[in-house]
Amino acid sequence: MTDVVGVPLEVVLVLAVVVVVGAFVQSVVGLGLGLLGAPVVALLEPSLTPTLLLWLAVPLSLFVLVAEWRHVNWWATAWALPARLPGTVLGVWLVAAFSDRALGVVVALMVLAAVVLAHWVVEVRLTPARLFLAGLAAGTAGTATSVGGPPMAVLFSHRPPQETRATLAVFFFVGTLLSVALFAATGEMPAASLWLGLLFLPLVVGGFAVGAAVRGRVPREGFRQVVLGVCAASAAVLLVRSLL
């Protein structure tokens, strides 16, 4: 069987499609690579969870930030970002301590919880305490599962789209860079994640560029609902497989 850095070629091709679609979605709504990709990666190649998507989130977040840095809510960032550090340390420990099957269950539950929150959340006022707790939760969940966007996205769900994308981009860029560095320092970063991340980088660039070009013409709410539906379906499959 043909493989790429130890990963079956057919799996690499499926992951490539997920990466380019996830980059497109994140370019439009501010998050999506982790939500879409985490269940698929955990289903097809659990050894790449969460490191592959964290590695890819670094350049993707940087692209979004460079494009929309003028809209960053720096006050909110100053309260949320410091909490990412203890959350990241806890997330690295969780990955080292639990099996692929357990992490699969956690990823699936995180994605399903994110979908529910996205449907039912009401406007939440930004306060220092809420931002710090959201940063802590995002750091832990994002490092352990690569699905770290929902805690912060919930707080920004009723803010202007440009502010949401830009502020999340700062948080994701610094946070995922820290997570990748800690995984590398602790020996928990598989070589396959590094090489596939480099292989998929042009797809991230392409997905981001297309999203940036069309985001003003995409009906945001309808598009968001479709994305959430796909996320819920993939998470449900992962949950059943992990439990059985």
Side-chain angles (χ1 to χ4, degrees):
M1 180 183 296
T2 304
D3 61 48
V4 180
V5 293
V7 180
L9 179 58
E10 59 269 28
V11 172
V12 172
L13 294 176
V14 173
L15 294 182
V17 173
V18 171
V19 165
V20 72
V21 173
F24 170 80
V25 172
Q26 187 150 330
S27 180
V28 173
V29 300
L31 73 166
L33 179 62
L35 273 175
L36 280 168
V40 179
V41 175
L43 270 170
L44 299 181
E45 194 65 35
S47 65
L48 302 179
T49 303
T51 49
L52 174 61
L53 294 177
L54 288 173
W55 182 236
L56 291 171
V58 173
L60 177 57
S61 302
L62 180 60
F63 298 152
V64 177
L65 177 58
V66 169
E68 303 207 65
W69 64 271
R70 295 176 181 83
H71 303 288
V72 175
N73 185 329
W74 293 109
W75 175 82
T77 302
W79 282 105
L81 197 54
R84 177 89 194 208
L85 178 57
T88 299
V89 174
L90 179 57
V92 171
W93 175 80
L94 289 172
V95 171
F98 289 92
S99 66
D100 289 342
R101 179 180 177 183
L103 284 176
V105 173
V106 172
V107 169
L109 292 177
M110 277 294 303
V111 173
L112 291 173
V115 171
V116 171
L117 286 172
H119 274 291
W120 294 104
V121 72
V122 295
E123 184 171 0
V124 180
R125 189 168 64 90
L126 298 179
T127 66
R130 287 171 180 161
L131 286 164
F132 185 87
L133 290 174
L136 182 66
T140 303
T143 304
T145 69
S146 73
V147 186
M152 289 293 293
V154 164
L155 291 184
F156 281 84
S157 60
H158 291 271
R159 307 293 293 181
Q162 299 93 328
E163 180 184 335
T164 299
R165 285 193 299 265
T167 306
L168 289 180
V170 175
F171 189 80
F172 289 158
F173 175 67
V174 177
T176 52
L177 192 62
L178 178 61
S179 298
V180 168
L182 280 177
F183 274 119
T186 56
E188 295 290 336
M189 174 66 74
S193 289
L194 292 173
W195 289 113
L196 286 177
L198 293 174
L199 179 66
F200 291 156
L201 184 56
L203 301 179
V204 171
V205 175
F208 165 78
V210 174
V214 305
R215 69 168 64 117
R217 299 192 294 273
V218 174
R220 194 169 188 270
E221 185 56 28
F223 179 72
R224 189 176 72 97
Q225 295 301 326
V226 172
V227 171
L228 291 175
V230 173
C231 292
S234 60
V237 172
L238 173 60
L239 181 61
V240 171
R241 176 172 173 176
S242 297
L243 290 175
L244 297 179

